[in-house]
Amino acid sequence: MSTAKVDLHRLSRVANWAIPGLAVASLVAGMTVSFWFHFLTVFFLLLTVMNLFYRFVQTRHTILRNFGAIGQLRYVMESLGPELRQYFFSNDTEERPFSRVERAEVYRKAKGIDAAVAFGSQLEFGPKEIKLRHSMYPTPHDELEPFRLTFGEERGIASAYTIDKPIMISAMSFGALSEPAVRSLSRGAKHAGIAMNTGEGGWPKHHLEEGADLIFQMGTAKFGVRDEGGLLDDAKLRKLAALPQMKMIEIKFSQGAKPGKGGLLPKEKITAEIAELRGVPMGEDVVSPPSHPECYDNASTLEFIQRVQEVSGLPTGIKFCVGSLDQTAEFLREMAHSKIFPDYIAIDGGEGGTGAAPKPYLDSFGMPLMPALRGVHTILTDLEIRDRTKLIAAGKLIGAAKWTMALAMGADAIYSARGFMLALGCIQALHCGDNTCPVGITSHDRTLKHGLVISDKAQRVQQYVHGSVHDFEEILCSTGVKSARELCMDNLYVPPQSILAGENRA
Amino acid sequence: MTTDPNPSPEAAPAARPLWLSLLLWTCKLGAAGILGYAGYLKLTSNPGDIELFETLGMEPFGRYLIGGLECTAAGLILIRQSAVYGAFLGLGVMCGAIIGHLTVLGPAHIEGAILVAVLCLVILYVRRRDAPFIGNMIDW
């Protein structure tokens, strides 16, 4: 029994003859019936020329060479695919990296509207789902101790920096983000009373002008503090660290989006201002080296950390994505041996972050945040140096429940980048790297930045922090602890199938 | 080193030589001028154009439509981002004009339409990489 089947190859052959045929037919109709038919004549004539170009001139697209203009439909459909899937076909929990359910929660927080949802969770609870444990006797809210964490207290430095909320804005440079996005975040961070990481973007002009407390990130290219040979220029670092807004310095060794590779800013996104602030040419991708030239082994790395601490006079942390816990343990042992400790260690999950990155690096490199964080915390504890530094967790921590889980795993504070992008109105169009972000957060196109009104978005950032911190405090009360410091693995239900199982009671 | 040692060939497009820029602008001004003037005459009911469109059997709506398209093409040609679309539209209208001369009106005055069509083709060739659908396939 034969079934109905569309033979696209045959259809294209018919179309390839039909297009010039229709041009001739329209010509005849125009000559005999009405001159109006010549509109069709011209249309089919030009289409014929285009079809010939597709089939016999261009060599890049096999489909177009074989199928002609009909084949163009494939590319049109493919280009519409992401939008169709997002708006019509994907369900509320299956989009990546953040599902609609997750994003909607951030949007509600940012807009300051009621975030309660009814009739049960939309998530499916698989056997590996980690959950928070509530207590039979929750803590009364007025007995909850305020959050307080001081970076640099271990070294007793005068410039130690204290935060009173667990969340900070993670590293996103001006360049990766547009000017209004940076300004909105910085202004929002100032109003919310949280610190903001500048990212690896050179002199943080726009961050500074909006007044937030800043953590200056020194990437492997050292934009903003480099000498002509690409090494650290002490004088520039000293000048930058002397700014009253500059609260901490962060040396980035690797990041979750592309562990083992330096930062990348695609040439499409390099404006004259960005080139000037970073000291790079326009018209070329800016690729930072994969490592700091000063750091070639554990000892030299620790020496470099100490040098930055001494030159800047500020709390100085390091950030990396864990590749191997064994290698990390070696580094931490050297730390314990030399008694040189960074003021914090930020662990970036290998889940991929905001940065533009080659796909193998986004998808296939780096340990996921939770086992990496737990691993580092355990090693520090075993070496009896857990009290000599702080741990910051970063990687898809966009809500208070995830923050609490990371803190229970061993973190002291939380970094989030994409959570704040969503608060700014990111619709997860996944165009961060090509300067066509439809909401202007990662685009320098004037017409796309137009929609991002700084005063409005700064308020969204503030409300996102306010709402999430409120949730966090509620969660702490429910778990029965009196402060975030008390959180531990016992506050988590970790199923036996999880890689983290065995670290607490089932 | 902070920059990619092997930038892709498209990284820094070669600047257009002066003679080519001059040629492009000559063609743009020429095509836009002729198209704009011809469109203006049609939209303002120039007697010659009324007679012409009566011969074609398209008076008056055909005259207004073609006049509008000519003026639109003239405007688009002069704007950098839309020049290639304007040239494409102008070429289409001129193809219609040439067909009109060859089939109904007779060959007299066909040279104007051919001239504008050639000017549009030159603009399309110089700005070929901006062309929709085909521009990204052209590496010459």
Side-chain angles (χ1 to χ4, degrees), chain A residues 254 259-260 298 320-333 345 347-350 364-368 371-377 379:
Chain A
S254 59
N298 291 338
F320 59 87
C321 173
V322 176
S324 149
L325 278 173
D326 289 340
Q327 199 180 22
T328 307
E330 282 294 317
F331 176 61
L332 298 178
R333 266 195 287 276
I345 299 173
I347 304 293
D348 205 6
S364 310
F365 265 99
M367 276 182 76
L373 173 66
R374 188 66 196 159
V376 172
H377 171 79
I379 296 166

Side-chain angles (χ1 to χ4, degrees), chain A residues 125 128-136 370 397 399-410 468 471-481 484 486-495 504-506:
Chain A
F125 297 105
K128 294 183 180 173
E129 197 77 25
I130 297 174
K131 301 199 80 175
L132 289 162
R133 294 183 194 272
H134 63 281
S135 168
M136 285 175 71
M370 292 303 183
L397 304 175
K402 294 280 186 193
W403 301 357
T404 315
M405 288 180 192
L407 294 177
M409 297 259 182
S468 300
D471 277 7
F472 175 66
E473 290 173 353
E474 298 277 297
I475 290 170
L476 287 184
C477 291
S478 299
T479 54
V481 298
E486 290 178 27
L487 288 169
C488 63
M489 287 298 279
D490 289 345
N491 296 111
L492 299 179
Y493 164 70
V494 183
N504 74 342
R505 298 184 299 273

Side-chain angles (χ1 to χ4, degrees), chain A residues 30-102:
Chain A
M31 290 167 68
T32 55
V33 182
S34 163
F35 197 84
W36 286 99
F37 275 101
H38 287 313
F39 277 93
L40 290 177
T41 311
V42 171
F43 173 77
F44 284 116
L45 207 58
L46 294 177
L47 192 59
T48 303
V49 174
M50 190 182 270
N51 204 27
L52 291 173
F53 174 84
Y54 283 156
R55 295 181 59 211
F56 301 111
V57 180
Q58 67 86 26
T59 54
R60 281 194 193 174
H61 299 287
T62 312
I63 292 285
L64 294 181
R65 271 184 91 77
N66 287 347
F67 291 80
I70 288 275
Q72 188 66 265
L73 287 176
R74 179 194 181 279
Y75 297 102
V76 173
M77 295 288 185
E78 194 179 38
S79 71
L80 289 173
E83 283 80 4
L84 288 176
R85 284 191 288 279
Q86 186 176 34
Y87 291 123
F88 297 114
F89 302 119
S90 291
N91 73 36
D92 286 349
T93 59
E94 72 183 10
E95 284 175 68
R96 294 289 180 273
F98 297 100
S99 71
R100 187 171 290 277
V101 168
E102 290 171 308

Side-chain angles (χ1 to χ4, degrees), chain A residues 218-222 251-253 289-296 304:
Chain A
M218 185 196 301
T220 51
K222 302 192 181 62
I251 308 168
K252 181 180 84 172
F253 288 98
S291 63
H292 291 271
E294 295 92 339
C295 307
Y296 43 87
F304 184 66

